[in-house]
Amino acid sequence: MSMAALLHRHLFGVKGDVRDPICYVDEQTVLYPAGHNTVIFNLEQRIQRFLPGTEKTEEITAIAVSPNKKFVAVAEKSDKGVITVFDLHSLKRRRLLTASDSMSKEFVSLAFSPDSKLLMAQGGAPDWTLTLWTWEKAKFVASMKTAATPNSVMYQCSFSPTDNNLITVTGNGVFKQLKLVDSNLKLLPNALNKREPQNYLCHAWCSDERVVVGTDTGDLLVVDGVELKAFIPRAPSDSTSIESVIWY
């Protein structure tokens, strides 16, 4: 006797504890995590397609769509954090990645390089290791522990929009700009090294070298290399933190 199979028809809700959970694939299509699935939703046709979670993993912790809009990387929590790269046209799995030198069970942030060839993942506690791969070949490129102390928390990693070798990471008491040189991550000087550390919750590149940073106290800082170009404090009546920044 054959067993009937249950198929997804529609998923409601968004898993909101994922960093930047909603991504545009094109003007009519958005992608987001819902439960243990990644949903690809066509806004005009009102049709959903699904990328299922990996068996024996706990939950989705981060997603990123490649700049060429051909691939999506989905990070999931497990005994060793895993990342699956899917082809957005065929919906097939293209690559499975994990960081062998990390002790963490999860990745908290993902980013593709501007040419979509490198994938970067910020690992979670306890070691907060940043790892880069040439993802199509599953080839390890470089790694670095980014947290200031074991008790720090890291939130986000990103590439410069035009340079595969320039990277920014932010966390509690951590703002670092890195350069990839000969498969090594080199720490660059930056304007915030001279300031009292803050809880930097998010950031966004707004040019080749300029980065806007948001804090838990609602302040915005504009960093251009070794210069702090602007400090925009929160309004005295506003106690809201800045959780996400998007450059338009």
Side-chain angles (χ1 to χ4, degrees):
M1 180 179 177
S2 61
M3 299 291 290
L6 294 176
L7 300 176
H8 291 114
R9 288 293 302 273
H10 196 92
L11 290 177
F12 294 90
V14 176
K15 193 174 188 299
D17 59 352
V18 172
R19 162 67 60 180
D20 298 329
I22 301 176
C23 307
Y24 270 89
V25 178
D26 55 43
E27 291 184 356
Q28 292 80 37
T29 309
V30 293
L31 180 149
Y32 54 90
H36 203 179
N37 296 269
T38 303
V39 178
I40 304 168
F41 182 43
N42 187 292
L43 299 171
E44 290 188 349
Q45 299 174 355
R46 316 299 291 179
I47 293 173
Q48 290 183 337
R49 297 183 295 162
F50 309 101
L51 302 173
T54 305
E55 290 186 10
K56 299 181 180 180
T57 60
E58 298 178 31
E59 61 176 335
I60 295 171
T61 58
I63 61 171
V65 172
S66 62
N68 63 13
K69 307 299 183 182
K70 293 181 179 180
F71 308 101
V72 60
V74 180
E76 296 169 280
K77 187 176 183 179
S78 65
D79 291 338
K80 275 279 188 180
V82 297
I83 302 168
T84 306
V85 181
F86 291 91
D87 185 306
L88 283 173
H89 176 69
S90 67
L91 305 189
K92 292 182 178 179
R93 287 179 168 87
R94 287 287 300 270
R95 192 62 64 197
L96 187 70
L97 303 169
T98 189
S100 59
D101 60 343
S102 174
M103 299 171 61
S104 178
K105 298 178 64 177
E106 63 182 327
F107 296 101
V108 299
S109 180
L110 299 174
F112 283 94
S113 60
D115 64 3
S116 302
K117 293 182 178 180
L118 297 178
L119 179 63
M120 174 169 58
Q122 174 61 65
D127 52 342
W128 304 103
T129 299
L130 184 75
T131 307
L132 283 79
W133 300 268
T134 305
W135 69 265
E136 288 191 274
K137 298 179 181 178
K139 181 181 178 182
F140 170 83
V141 175
S143 67
M144 171 186 279
K145 290 179 172 59
T146 53
T149 70
N151 295 324
S152 297
V153 177
M154 298 301 297
Y155 302 114
Q156 186 181 358
C157 62
S158 68
F159 284 96
S160 160
T162 58
D163 191 337
N164 285 5
N165 299 312
L166 290 180
I167 292 164
T168 293
V169 294
T170 45
N172 190 354
V174 180
F175 175 83
K176 292 182 178 179
Q177 294 192 295
L178 310 171
K179 187 170 185 178
L180 181 63
V181 181
D182 298 328
S183 297
N184 289 295
L185 289 168
K186 178 183 177 182
L187 184 63
L188 300 176
N190 70 74
L192 301 190
N193 287 343
K194 302 174 184 178
R195 293 174 52 88
E196 187 69 24
Q198 291 181 260
N199 192 3
Y200 305 113
L201 297 181
C202 57
H203 68 266
W205 293 81
C206 51
S207 70
D208 295 352
E209 297 183 349
R210 185 168 293 189
V211 179
V212 178
V213 186
T215 73
D216 67 337
T217 56
D219 302 324
L220 281 172
L221 300 94
V222 182
V223 179
D224 193 337
V226 296
E227 292 186 61
L228 179 62
K229 290 291 187 179
F231 173 76
I232 306 170
R234 66 174 176 86
S237 60
D238 185 4
S239 60
T240 304
S241 60
I242 297 176
E243 305 282 344
S244 183
V245 180
I246 300 294
W247 180 255
Y248 176 72

